[in-house]
Amino acid sequence: MAVSRRKLIGSLAAGSALAAVSPTDLVSALRGTALAASPPGDVVGKISVGYQGWFSCPGDGAPIGGWWHWSRDRFQSPSPTNTTIVSWPDMREYARGYTTAYPPLGNGQPAQLFSSYDQQTVDTHFRWMREHGCDTAALQRFNPFGDEGPTRDAMTVKVRDAAERHGRKFYIMYDVTGWTAMQSQIKQDWTSRMSAHTASSAYARQNGRPVVCVWGFGFNDDGRPFAPAACLDVVNWFRAQGCYVIGGVPTYWRQGVNDSRPGFSEVYHAFHMISPWMVGRTGTLDGLDWFHTNVNVPDLADCAAHGIDYQPCVMPGDLSAGHRRHGDFYWRHLYNMTRLGAQGLYVSMFDEFNEGNQIAKTSETQATTPAGAGIRALDEDGTACSADYYLRITADGGRMFKGQLPLTAVRPTPPVAGGGPAPGGDLAAGRPASASSQNGPFVAGNAVDADAGSYWESAGAGLPQWWQVDLGANHPVARVVLALPAGWAARTQTLTVLGSTDGTSFTPLTGPLGVRFDPATGNTATLTVPPTTARHVRVAVTGNTGWPAAQLARVGVHAATGSSAPPTPPGGLTVTGRSSASVSLAWTASTDADGVAGYQVRRGGQTVASVAGTSATVGGLAPATAYTFTVVAVDTTGASSAPSPAVSVTTDPAPGTDLARGRPVTESSHVQAYGCANTVDGNPDTYWESAGDAFPQWVRVDLGASVAVGQVVLRLPPAAAWQRRTQTLSVETSPDGTAWSTVVASAARVFDPATGNRVALTVAATPARYVRVRVTGNTGWPAAQLSQLEVYAA
């Protein structure tokens, strides 16, 4: 039987062990907004984002001066050897950029960064928040009594202005790291400076109170050495000022271990809302699931028991460490915390390019990232992602959290809006480019940027020379468009176009031939090639009548688009594996005149996986649940096939689940009210008793689907009144309820109250839908007796 919320909260308040309640029962008992200590406000029921706002550049007017937070030595320009960042921002929407000492971008443009001190930057960020459902910004505020104080003060004004303009909320989030005189100065700062901002219509309020967060109490490190008494004094002081106080606390705050020092329980429970830190704790999907079950579920129970709101941290993953899995990591975190029933979500972070966990628009490819600097772009795992991808995931995740989208473990957000490349079909645009050589600033990336006047030129040491682009995936290349700047004089270049799937072995697609570039026709030439699958396209130049070097201002690569027929449907869809949370599928390939670009696995009309090959594993499924899947093929023009024939499958039960609980059950006979339904009701004190003096007797349960049975557990009521007895019994299984096999031979089984009146019988991984216990004798009563019949998967 599920634990009721009333029973759970009462037992917690009485000090019962949380471990006695299963995670599944905790989730069932706690999920839903009804348990929130507070009604919806500006943080409860909302998506909050951590906002650093701490980047400045020389010349931006910031009082602190220099490259604040962009470089280790802020008085030296950021470079690969003088940096604090691991990700690169997408700079296209900033009105002003500041040139760094990083190498030029992959497209040859100078490597520039933004300044948070520019009001246009803050306005841009808050516009993105408005467009993507970020409700509230937590403005980070470190010790303001040092040299950064004036800049922090000015940033608060800029954030307030942008929040008011874009209809967002904000609150002050104090980070006490390294703040020696924190206990007195944080009160002084709030009273003399920050509390004035609560008059703004944009300042976040919860339960009618202005919100303030204190991050860092209780962490087990030298940067936050404050004693519990000092921390409790600060929390209570803010409460006395009429504030709603959030605690940014260690991951293991509840237990006082690992990153949390012991002795802080009273401090943690003094907050109105608890927001545990998660950055750096895991980088895998399994890790997120582990934290959900073992940390978040009991955290929420503790908060509920103390009337505290729970705001777990969700994160997109460290891009620099390869954690993101093109969005699946972030979605799993959002999904887990939504199904948990958290009161609010805290996204870490909005603009944290230093730790690689930013959701702000980020460089899409190496073409817009400093060349050779080792900084990963969003396509780092081979999946093209638009710069705004993680903002779009935040928007969809926020809608799911608020109940505006169904709860789903499957990410609904495509990496590129619309699910494909940008309009225009140029597969090379913005992709990484390289060349045999370059002449000064005329780099290979100029041929795939958006500037028709920039160009690649090889070194003048002589021909042949080559230029090539990595399309990021295999495509059926059919057309290559070459161009020079429109105002250049006519010339002919002798060249060959080659293609490769691995970047090593190239095959000629056309040429060698003389290609005429004439200003009368826009200095553009279009080469049609036989449709050929290629990921890497190379242009090899052996001659140029206009200059002793190879020259290209633009190289456009286009896929075949001639067929109007969709792909053939995939065939032979079969289930190749399953677990309690996933199903593996395989199918036969489709055919298409334009080439098959990939396949979409669908469930209920919704795409749940997209792959290039003919197999896929769909994860995030519920245990012991029936699902139906189809597969469609998609060609390079975007056309979809008809669905494959459907296949249905039921996921395995969760490990440790009693498969018999609540299932249909039948019997040979019973007396009075002691029917067989008592054996599957989860109550050890009710029981089945057969008619007396009439052996053999049996009880049978229908599991609903065939399962590999590994264990059968039989119980009698645990009370001492049920004295020791021996029942002679066997266990039988059947796939259809008609043909039976004995899987546990008949033998005398001892039920002893000293060991819980429990008998566990091991079964050799037998597939079965029906399980039957046959009883032929009982030394304690002249009838068959069982209080529980439990069945577990192998």
Side-chain angles (χ1 to χ4, degrees), residues 42-43 46-49 129 134-138 169-171 204:
D42 291 337
V43 288
K46 296 298 191 294
I47 304 297
S48 299
V49 295
M129 293 182 201
C134 303
D135 302 299
T136 305
K169 301 293 184 179
F170 79 102
Y171 63 88

Side-chain angles (χ1 to χ4, degrees), residues 670-682:
H670 74 271
V671 295
Q672 299 179 25
Y674 308 121
C676 59
N678 291 341
T679 63
V680 293
D681 65 0

